[in-house]
Amino acid sequence: MDLLNATMASTIGDTSIEPSSVNGTVEDYCHYEVMQQHMLVMRFWMVSVFGSSISFISMVENIFLFLLFVTSRRHRRENLFMMLLAFFDIFVSMAYIMLMSVNVLSDVLMSPLLVSIWYTYMIPILTISHIAMTSSSFLIVAASFERYCATLNTPYLRFAQRNRKFIALCAVFLGVISKGTISIEFELVNHEQCVGKMMATTMKFRPFVFDTHYNYLFRFWYRHFVTVFAPFFILLYLNIRIVRALTTYTTATVCLVTNGNSEDLQKRKASARAATRTLVMVGCCYIFSNIINVILTSLEQTNNELGIDYPDLYIVLIDLVSLLTTMACAARLPIYLYCQPVLRREIFMHFKRLCAPCNPSTSEKLGERLKSMETDTSFLSKGDVKPSEGIPTTTFNEMKPPSCLHSPYETLL
């Protein structure tokens, strides 16, 4: 049963219905049938083993990244989007294990105890995970828009950089508004006749979901188009524009305070290129991990009985959507390590410092190196400069005069 993607709502009603056969025996009333029994072993290895391993690795990576960013004043200022992404990725990865893996494992073991435990936290964890995923998608779009403005030297760059905190807050707020109501859409039903059995507790939609326009206007139109289709196609457009710009023109407009220092200029240009590569790869990773989700959501709108007509294919795609989501979370750290040389050195220094906590001299040396690295890159986060101090070094488009930026390029995102 998929509980981590946009198709959750349409499938959960089929798999969590109340027991029928009221006039039958207790055994009939409490009978539990596993979805696609012949695929259970495959789903166990795919979800509970492989997926849980990826999720655990993702949790460790993103906890490390979040601590790295949140403990550095420079990172909190320059890399706000990355810090929030790491924070939300922790919850997405944790939710995969608690929702998907435990759910499949309970079917394999046929454990009523595991099912009852799963239902105690299912609704709040489901809500948190969806808020985290939706907020992350909006944060990636916001970061990509800023990088798009920097790459194409648009007049909106100054606004995007100066209002970064407000934009990030809006992204998180949209995530809460869009998916926070999941917590009130479901209710648990306890069946006294089935105590100690798999069907002791079931879940169903609350009456208002389908008795009002909430399902059609909010769950169908708003959630599908604002949280699934809009981020996907906006990010696709921004990435295409950025990649086209980088392949069409060999240079980009770089406006910074160099004071005639060519070494600072080269560092700044390298940082701008690295930041662009990072955003393109993060965006492409998001697009790739959501292709199946977008296609599946589109098909569900045209065929409400897709899960009934093609049950095997449907359940595999459902599991793939959730698996690709957590794999995208786990891929962020490798992307940063590959695209960001300065951040890569800083991460290795922090890792070595964690591995040598009992050696005061080694920790002191590593701490001094980290401070020197932060000092070396401090010019990337200087405040506003006067227009006369900005030096446009190269022109992104010869047909368009370069505009001097009043704030520097962001280091990473």
Side-chain angles (χ1 to χ4, degrees):
M1 175 169 39
D2 178 26
L3 299 170
L4 281 174
N5 56 63
T7 59
M8 173 273 305
S10 62
T11 60
I12 200 167
D14 297 332
T15 58
S16 302
I17 58 175
E18 296 183 63
S20 56
S21 304
V22 177
N23 297 324
T25 64
V26 174
E27 291 297 328
D28 294 334
Y29 184 81
C30 300
H31 175 70
Y32 176 77
E33 185 175 353
V34 178
M35 288 182 59
Q36 305 305 108
Q37 177 75 40
H38 61 283
M39 300 181 64
L40 190 57
V41 175
M42 183 272 290
R43 295 189 67 210
F44 170 76
W45 287 102
M46 177 181 173
V47 177
S48 297
V49 178
F50 180 73
S52 297
S53 301
I54 297 296
S55 296
F56 180 77
I57 293 172
S58 176
M59 286 178 59
V60 174
E61 291 178 352
N62 285 288
I63 289 174
F64 179 81
L65 280 174
F66 178 73
L67 293 177
L68 173 68
F69 293 144
V70 80
T71 54
S72 170
R73 181 180 179 184
R74 177 174 62 87
H75 283 309
R76 289 197 303 269
R77 181 177 61 253
E78 299 173 7
N79 306 313
L80 177 63
F81 294 127
M82 290 181 66
M83 182 182 72
L84 292 176
L85 270 177
F87 176 76
F88 286 122
D89 285 347
I90 296 171
F91 290 97
V92 173
S93 303
M94 177 185 66
Y96 183 91
I97 297 175
M98 297 181 68
L99 296 177
M100 296 294 297
S101 301
V102 174
N103 180 256
V104 174
L105 185 62
S106 66
D107 285 344
V108 173
L109 300 178
M110 293 297 288
S111 170
L113 177 61
L114 203 57
V115 172
S116 64
I117 294 174
W118 185 80
Y119 273 117
T120 58
Y121 63 74
M122 183 270 175
I123 294 178
I125 294 298
L126 177 68
T127 306
I128 293 172
S129 67
H130 273 270
I131 291 175
M133 285 188 294
T134 305
S135 299
S136 296
S137 65
F138 289 138
L139 287 169
I140 295 174
V141 171
S144 297
F145 174 74
E146 183 175 328
R147 183 50 45 188
Y148 164 82
C149 294
T151 305
L152 275 71
N153 191 28
T154 68
Y156 301 107
L157 176 60
R158 185 177 179 181
F159 170 83
Q161 291 180 327
R162 287 189 170 184
N163 296 276
R164 191 176 297 147
K165 291 182 179 180
F166 175 74
I167 294 173
L169 181 63
C170 289
V172 176
F173 180 74
L174 277 175
V176 175
I177 292 298
S178 302
K179 296 299 180 70
T181 54
I182 289 178
S183 60
I184 62 173
E185 292 177 5
F186 303 100
E187 63 178 342
L188 300 179
V189 180
N190 296 317
H191 305 281
E192 297 180 358
Q193 304 95 321
C194 306
V195 173
K197 299 180 181 297
M198 296 288 287
M199 294 294 289
T201 303
T202 57
M203 186 171 62
K204 66 177 183 178
F205 284 104
R206 293 185 183 273
F208 81 91
V209 175
F210 294 102
D211 293 345
T212 65
H213 294 293
Y214 175 83
N215 181 64
Y216 181 73
L217 296 178
F218 188 79
R219 295 182 68 245
F220 175 77
W221 283 105
Y222 177 79
R223 278 194 187 154
H224 286 168
F225 287 90
V226 175
T227 68
V228 179
F229 294 111
F232 180 86
F233 288 106
I234 291 174
L235 198 59
L236 183 63
Y237 170 78
L238 293 176
N239 273 19
I240 291 175
R241 288 296 304 273
I242 293 173
V243 172
R244 279 190 61 188
L246 294 178
T247 55
T248 303
Y249 304 100
T250 57
T251 57
T253 301
V254 179
C255 180
L256 67 160
V257 180
T258 60
N259 294 324
N261 191 330
S262 60
E263 183 178 353
D264 284 355
L265 172 61
Q266 294 301 322
K267 287 182 179 180
R268 190 57 172 278
K269 291 169 65 177
S271 295
R273 290 193 298 267
T276 303
R277 286 197 303 269
T278 303
L279 249 300
V280 169
M281 292 191 67
V282 170
C284 289
C285 190
Y286 172 84
I287 292 171
F288 175 76
S289 64
N290 279 271
I291 287 178
I292 298 178
N293 187 23
V294 171
I295 295 175
L296 198 57
T297 303
S298 303
L299 292 175
E300 284 181 334
Q301 309 317 313
T302 58
N303 182 8
N304 293 328
E305 297 183 350
L306 186 65
I308 299 176
D309 297 337
Y310 308 97
D312 291 354
L313 177 62
Y314 187 74
I315 200 169
V316 169
L317 292 179
I318 289 292
D319 290 338
L320 273 179
V321 170
S322 300
L323 181 59
L324 289 174
T325 300
T326 192
M327 289 179 70
C329 297
R332 305 216 206 280
L333 179 59
I335 289 175
Y336 301 156
L337 293 176
Y338 177 76
C339 297
Q340 297 287 343
V342 175
L343 181 62
R344 179 169 62 241
R345 292 193 296 270
E346 187 175 350
I347 288 175
F348 288 156
M349 288 297 103
H350 275 279
F351 184 74
K352 290 179 181 179
R353 196 175 187 181
L354 289 175
C355 293
C358 299
N359 192 335
S361 60
T362 303
S363 299
E364 185 177 350
K365 291 179 181 179
L366 292 174
E368 292 177 356
R369 292 184 64 181
L370 286 172
K371 289 182 180 179
S372 65
M373 289 175 60
E374 190 161 324
T375 303
D376 291 340
T377 58
S378 61
F379 72 92
L380 296 174
S381 58
K382 288 182 179 177
D384 293 349
V385 299
K386 297 179 181 179
S388 59
E389 293 177 340
I391 305 176
T393 59
T394 56
T395 306
F396 176 78
N397 189 343
E398 295 180 358
M399 301 301 296
K400 177 183 178 182
S403 60
C404 185
L405 308 182
H406 289 258
S407 56
Y409 280 125
E410 191 173 2
T411 306
L412 301 178
L413 294 189

